[in-house]
């Protein structure tokens, strides 16, 4: 099992490198996106990859393989939904290059559902229950992610900037996958089924919060309410993560191996 642990750890750093590429709009990363997009969209992609990377690094560092199923389920939902979209788009627009993205998503979905089933055999080493406020918050996040994800798939304007309609669908698939990430933690209420989610949320928040605060100076009036709601979610989720990861004496990360 050490090989899986090391691979997860190193994989987290590879994903982090890709996240930084999108955050700073470096060609090695942005050229992988199937169409040209804007700075804020690349930043969002970077924030999602940063969220994935910190969870993978934490699992690899601690060897808590029992926390893998939630992430694998998340990836499966995203990959399966994106595969359908890419294949439909390739047929509709006659873009053969999009078939590559579709088939890559199919392979990712297959690998992730296998990883989900395989990793469920591992018990979590940490037996502490998830704190009540975290469970309640996860319920709220799940509802918000399903609502936002569905809206984005239908190309409704809920982000605080104008989205490419195709990116809107992809981002919606990501939010729907994230809903399952938190759903797993809600139905398996052990602390190490929540710690990874909070680490992910914190990384996501840190990437977006300052650019979004700066966006108040230039946001179009019709998107101002969207920005206010988005920033409020970032502040709440970030505060929740900081408190339980670094302040609460029963759950802070340097106590994370206590039973």
């Amino acid at each position: 099992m050490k090989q899986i642990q090391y691979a997860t750890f190193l994989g987290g750093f590879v994903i982090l490198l890709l996240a930084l590429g999108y955050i700073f709009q470096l060609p090695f990363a942005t050229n992988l996106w199937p169409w040209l997009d804007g700075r804020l969209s690349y930043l969002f992609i970077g924030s999602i990859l940063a969220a994935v990377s910190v969870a993978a690094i934490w699992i690899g560092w601690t060897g808590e393989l029992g926390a893998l199923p939630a992430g694998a389920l998340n990836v499966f939902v995203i990959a399966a939904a994106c595969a359908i979209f890419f294949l439909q788009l390739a047929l509709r627009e006659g873009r053969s290059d999009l078939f590559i993205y579709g088939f890559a998503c199919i392979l990712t979905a297959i690998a992730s559902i296998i990883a989900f089933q395989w990793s469920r055999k591992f018990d979590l080493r940490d037996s502490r229950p998830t704190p009540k406020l975290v469970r309640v918050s996860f319920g709220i996040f799940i509802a918000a992610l399903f609502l936002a994800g569905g809206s984005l798939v239908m190309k409704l304007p809920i982000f605080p900037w104008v989205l490419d309609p195709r990116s809107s669908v992809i981002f919606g698939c990501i939010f729907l996958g994230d809903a399952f990430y938190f759903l797993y933690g809600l139905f398996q209420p052990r602390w190490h089924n929540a710690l990874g989610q909070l680490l992910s949320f914190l990384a996501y928040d840190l990437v977006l919060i300052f650019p979004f605060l700066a966006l108040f100076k230039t946001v179009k009036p019709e998107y101002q309410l969207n920005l206010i709601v988005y920033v409020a979610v970032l502040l709440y989720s970030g505060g929740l993560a900081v408190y339980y990861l670094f302040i609460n004496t029963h759950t802070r990360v340097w106590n994370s191996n206590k039973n």
Side-chain angles (χ1 to χ4, degrees), residues 8 56 91 123 129 136 185 212 215 247 254:
T8 303
L91 293 171
D123 290 327
V136 171
F212 276 27
L215 190 58
I247 298 174
W254 48 87

Side-chain angles (χ1 to χ4, degrees), residues 19 40 47 49 51 56 60 62 78-79 106 119 131 136 147 155 177 237:
L40 290 172
S47 72
L49 291 171
T62 61
I78 295 171
I106 290 172
S119 60
V136 171
L147 179 61
K155 304 173 185 176
S237 58

Side-chain angles (χ1 to χ4, degrees), residues 16-118:
L16 180 59
L17 179 63
L18 191 58
L20 293 172
Y22 277 106
I23 291 168
F24 295 105
Q25 297 177 66
L26 302 178
F28 82 87
T30 58
N31 287 344
L32 295 174
W33 196 244
W35 43 77
L36 289 175
D37 223 319
R39 180 183 68 88
L40 290 172
S41 290
Y42 289 135
L43 189 69
F44 174 79
I45 299 164
S47 72
I48 294 297
L49 291 171
V52 174
S53 70
V54 296
I57 291 169
W58 168 70
I59 292 172
W61 179 261
T62 61
E64 183 60 285
L65 298 181
L68 281 173
L73 180 62
N74 182 7
V75 173
F76 168 74
V77 174
I78 295 171
C82 286
I84 294 170
F85 176 66
F86 278 127
L87 294 177
Q88 287 180 335
L89 198 61
L91 293 171
R92 187 167 67 244
E93 295 188 354
R95 283 186 56 183
S96 58
D97 59 307
L98 293 180
F99 281 112
I100 297 173
Y101 289 90
F103 293 139
C105 287
I106 290 172
L107 292 176
T108 302
I110 293 171
S112 58
I113 198 62
I114 292 172
F116 173 74
Q117 292 292 348
W118 172 80

Side-chain angles (χ1 to χ4, degrees), residues 127-140:
S127 62
R128 288 172 293 172
T130 302
K132 184 176 181 180
L133 179 60
V134 176
R135 296 199 307 271
V136 171
S137 298
F138 275 18
I140 296 170

Side-chain angles (χ1 to χ4, degrees), residues 37-45 47 148 151-152 155-164 168 171 175 204 208-234:
D37 223 319
R39 180 183 68 88
L40 290 172
S41 290
Y42 289 135
L43 189 69
F44 174 79
I45 299 164
S47 72
S151 298
L152 287 166
K155 304 173 185 176
L156 298 178
I158 67 167
F159 268 28
W161 68 91
V162 179
L163 281 176
D164 182 299
S168 180
F171 295 171
F175 275 5
Y204 171 83
L208 294 181
I209 187 61
F210 295 110
F212 276 27
L213 289 174
L215 190 58
F216 277 106
K217 297 178 182 179
T218 58
V219 67
K220 295 180 179 180
E222 61 267 31
Y223 292 106
Q224 190 167 47
L225 179 59
N226 297 5
L227 181 59
I228 291 171
V229 172
Y230 211 135
V231 168
V233 172
L234 293 177

Side-chain angles (χ1 to χ4, degrees), residues 236-259:
Y236 176 78
S237 58
L240 184 77
V242 167
Y243 176 73
Y244 282 104
L245 292 174
F246 304 113
I247 298 174
N248 187 289
T249 56
H250 298 291
T251 58
R252 56 193 180 192
V253 289
W254 48 87
N255 293 338
S256 62
N257 289 323
K258 290 184 178 180
N259 293 330

